[in-house]
Structure formats: C-alpha cells, structure tokens
Amino acid sequence: MSLKAAKRKMSTKNYMAVLSMFYILSVTLHATKTTAFHVESSQEASSAEQLRLGVYYETLCPDSRSFMRNSLYDGMILNEWLKYTELELIPYGKVTSWTDPDTNITTLFCQHGRTECELNALHACIVEHHDVRDQLKLISCLLSGHTTTLDECAKDLVLDVSAVKECKAARSIPDILKKYGEKTDALDISFVPSVTFDGKFDRWRQRYFIYNFSVVFCREYKAKFNVTLPQC
C-alpha cells in the first residue's frame, strides 16, 4: 500500500471514530436531559403546595351524602386535586350530648338518630386507619346506598379494613367521636356539610361553598398560591 493510500485509510478511520464519539455523546446528553426532566416533574408533583380543606359532614344527611360522593370525590379524585389538598374529613355534624352525673357515661344524640352515630363512628375509624385517598374511596362507596356495608366496599376496592373493624368494636361511640365533636363544636356550624379553607370558616356562605365547590376551591387555591389548577 502506498503512503498516500495509507494516509487516506487512516483519515477515514479517524472520521468514523469522531462520528461515533459524537453519536455516543448525543445519546448520553439526551438520556441525561430526559432523566432530569422526569426527576424535575416528579419533584414538582410531590412538592405541590397544598390548600388545607376541612369537611364537616354527617353520614345520613342527604346534603352531606351528595356532596361527599359527587362534588368532593369528583374534585379530589377525578380532577386529581387531592395532591394539591391537605384534606381532613370530620364525620360528626349536628350532635348533642348528655353525661350522666352518677356514672359519668356520655350519650350522643345525632341529628338522624342512633344509626347515624354508629355510622359517624365507623367513618371516624376509617379516617384514623387509612390514608386520605382510601378514606375518600371507602366513604364514597359507603355513602352510595343506605345498606352498603364496609365489607362490600373493602372487597370492591381491594382494601384491608380489619383495623377499622377493630377500632369500631373496641371503643365506645363517644370515645371514637370525641375529637371530631370538639372540632365541630368549635365552629358552631349551622349547615351540614360545612367546609373550611385554610382553617377559615365562614358560616354565612356554606350553602354557596357546597353547591359551587369546584369554583370556590379553584378560587381559593389561586388566591393563596397564585396558581390555576388543572381542570379549573
């Protein structure tokens, strides 16, 4: 092989090597950018600023049942606003109580009778033993019918509710509902369901809040964080 041909062959090899290096570098940079994008997106979703939302309801109140199963569930689950919300469910409502001075035993009188007290306590046990997403799913299922049972909902949703059952069986209704009653009584609610945004309660606008929940939630989030949520 002549010297000129040898130089030409080496130049070709060098050219191919340089191309290979550029290709590898390009692929590496693309992969790095893609990874960085996914990490950034994940961090953005996990660090979303949350609006505190308190929901005060009764298990047998028609307005409560409709609000929980429709407006609240649709907003938090279907619209995926739950990740933007610090949600607290307070199953209590309009309840009076009497403590026997001789025995020191407290009896609760719920607006819709003894059955409602039982169901409020069951919901409270769900709140205590499940994360908020599962709380919403279980409670929405239970409110779908007056005879719907915890076992039916647990089976449909593939959830373990053994801790909920133990909570309900081992404790008295006044004991289970004590902290929920204290939170509800502190607001002096006149309408059920009632909601608080960022810990603030406006008793005179509760009907408007409940019947226009999506609009109000979007407005409250925008006002606090200057962000318009998806689906708003």
Side-chain angles (χ1 to χ4, degrees), residues 5-210:
K7 287 182 178 180
R8 188 183 301 114
K9 184 175 182 180
M10 289 185 65
S11 296
T12 302
K13 287 183 178 180
N14 289 341
Y15 177 72
M16 294 302 295
V18 170
L19 281 180
S20 297
M21 289 178 62
F22 272 114
Y23 175 76
I24 293 171
L25 181 61
S26 175
V27 170
T28 303
L29 286 173
H30 177 74
T32 302
K33 288 180 179 178
T34 302
T35 302
F37 172 78
H38 285 304
V39 170
E40 183 179 343
S41 298
S42 177
Q43 289 175 342
E44 182 179 353
S46 63
S47 62
E49 293 177 299
Q50 293 186 318
L51 178 67
R52 285 190 296 143
L53 173 66
V55 178
Y56 298 74
Y57 72 101
E58 298 169 341
T59 52
L60 291 182
C61 167
D63 285 329
S64 289
R65 296 172 70 89
S66 176
F67 174 74
M68 297 291 290
R69 292 189 60 242
N70 297 299
S71 299
L72 186 66
Y73 185 90
D74 290 353
M76 296 298 110
I77 302 300
L78 300 186
N79 289 349
E80 299 184 346
W81 290 342
L82 189 58
K83 62 186 175 184
Y84 304 105
T85 311
E86 184 182 331
L87 176 63
E88 181 181 18
L89 302 179
I90 303 96
Y92 193 75
K94 297 180 180 180
V95 179
T96 57
S97 64
W98 178 74
T99 301
D100 189 318
D102 296 325
T103 63
N104 202 36
I105 294 176
T106 298
T107 302
L108 299 182
F109 301 92
C110 294
Q111 181 171 211
H112 298 92
R114 173 74 181 180
T115 300
E116 183 168 72
C117 286
E118 293 277 359
L119 290 172
N120 285 350
L122 178 64
H123 283 219
C125 286
I126 290 173
V127 170
E128 289 186 16
H129 293 283
H130 285 274
D131 64 44
V132 69
R133 182 174 293 275
D134 288 344
Q135 290 172 33
L136 273 175
K137 291 181 177 180
L138 272 170
I139 287 172
S140 179
C141 176
L142 284 170
L143 295 177
S144 65
H146 289 285
T147 60
T148 306
T149 68
L150 179 64
D151 285 334
E152 289 173 338
C153 292
K155 182 178 179 181
D156 289 343
L157 296 169
V158 194
L159 291 173
D160 180 5
V161 293
S162 55
V164 175
K165 291 181 176 180
E166 183 178 349
C167 166
K168 180 64 170 60
R171 298 162 59 192
S172 69
I173 291 175
D175 177 49
I176 295 172
L177 293 177
K178 185 175 186 298
K179 67 178 180 181
Y180 303 97
E182 291 172 350
K183 291 180 179 181
T184 302
D185 292 342
L187 295 184
D188 189 25
I189 63 174
S190 59
F191 180 75
V192 182
S194 284
V195 295
T196 58
F197 292 101
D198 206 27
K200 299 173 184 176
F201 176 66
D202 185 343
R203 68 175 304 179
W204 306 112
R205 302 191 69 200
Q206 288 303 314
R207 288 183 183 273
Y208 174 77
F209 290 166
I210 295 303

